[in-house]
Structures are given as structure tokens and as C-alpha cells.
Amino acid sequence: MRILGIDCGSERTGYGVIDSDGRSHRLRAAGVIRTSTKAPLAERLLTIAGGLREVIAAEAPEAAAVEAVFHAANTQTALKLAHVRGVALLVLAEAGLTVGEYSPLEIKTSVVGYGRAEKEQVQLMVGSLLQLKEIVKSQDASDALAAAICHANQVRYREAVRV
């Protein structure tokens, strides 16, 4: 299964695409959609939507994973994140993709085995699970790949429980 993971952010939205059979995962693509902090929010959202549409067109994922809303100390940050998530979910729905939404705790537990893992630990484990020679340098892209891996693990688990 080809899975697109998305790490939403109004300045940097990370994406990562993997191929997975539920046990082993292979990197297809990873990167960051960057926006200008000086641009109005509407323009930034348009840039993010366009970037996600390009990734979907290029990689043809079958499913997607997005980090669920979490509580942020800064209300403005949380609101911007919610807008970006809304745009991401809309683009994924337009593409007809099934979407898994996972909390940061679920993603980190799935990838690292510890829900309070630091971003550097996530980067290292993503590199290990994808058998990369070097870690993915962008934490945003690495977090997106972690979401995709989490989704692959959840799909495998659900299929095993059904049997």
C-alpha cells in the first residue's frame, strides 16, 4: 500500500510517501511545502493545497495519515494548524483517499515505542524503519513519514484482528 503522511504547519507542511506491506516500509518521497510568513493566511493555505495536490498526482497514494488536532499553548498557533489540517483533509477527500488521523502520542508510540519521544528520536527511528543510509534531515518530513508508518502499522493490526 502506498501511504502519504502529512505533518501540518502553516510555515512548513511536511509530507512523506512510503510503500508498505505492513511489515516493511520503503521511502518513495519526502519533503516540505514552504510558505512565506509574510503572505496572508489564505495565500499560504492555497500554496499548501497546491503542493499536496502535486504530491498526490506524482506519487498516487492509496491512503493518507494526518496528525490529529492537539492542544497547543498558543491559541493562534492552534487555529492556524486547524486551518492547515482542514485544507489537507479537503485535498485528501478530493483525491478519494482514505484518511487515518492519529495523535502525536499514537504516532510516536508506533514508530519509537515511546509516546513522549523527542523529534530527534523520531528521525532516527524513521531512518531505521525505512532502512535509509542517512536520516531525513527535515523534521517536518520525518514527522510526516512517521505518520505514514503509523498508518501502515494500524492497517496491518486491523487486518490481523479481523482474521
Side-chain angles (χ1 to χ4, degrees):
M1 171 182 282
R2 186 161 299 164
I3 304 166
L4 166 62
I6 301 172
D7 179 52
C8 295
S10 61
E11 292 178 38
R12 295 177 316 276
T13 292
Y15 65 87
V17 181
I18 63 168
D19 283 333
S20 177
D21 64 5
R23 293 182 192 273
S24 64
H25 318 290
R26 198 181 94 227
L27 176 67
R28 292 271 314 169
V32 178
I33 301 164
R34 297 180 188 281
T35 65
S36 169
T37 56
K38 296 176 182 171
L41 182 59
E43 284 180 29
R44 294 163 80 178
L45 296 174
L46 184 62
T47 299
I48 292 165
L52 291 174
R53 287 185 181 109
E54 287 176 16
V55 171
I56 291 168
E59 298 300 330
E62 300 164 62
V66 179
E67 195 172 275
V69 172
F70 63 94
H71 299 286
N74 183 325
T75 306
Q76 287 291 66
T77 301
L79 287 172
K80 284 181 184 174
L81 177 62
H83 288 305
V84 175
R85 282 190 78 255
V87 164
L89 293 172
L90 172 68
V91 169
L92 297 172
E94 283 177 343
L97 300 176
T98 58
V99 179
E101 296 183 64
Y102 304 98
S103 72
L105 185 78
E106 288 174 298
I107 294 170
K108 290 176 181 179
T109 300
S110 180
V111 173
V112 179
Y114 175 61
R116 306 253 183 255
E118 298 294 325
K119 286 191 172 280
E120 294 79 15
Q121 292 172 295
V122 173
Q123 276 180 299
L124 288 172
M125 282 306 296
V126 163
S128 176
L129 291 168
L130 294 174
Q131 300 175 355
L132 303 177
K133 292 178 182 172
E134 295 181 14
I135 64 168
V136 175
K137 298 206 182 338
S138 164
Q139 288 183 342
D140 301 300
S142 181
D143 286 352
L145 288 165
I149 292 167
C150 176
H151 186 72
N153 293 341
Q154 290 295 319
V155 168
R156 179 174 162 238
Y157 172 76
R158 281 186 231 122
E159 287 174 357
V161 170
R162 253 189 266 150
V163 174

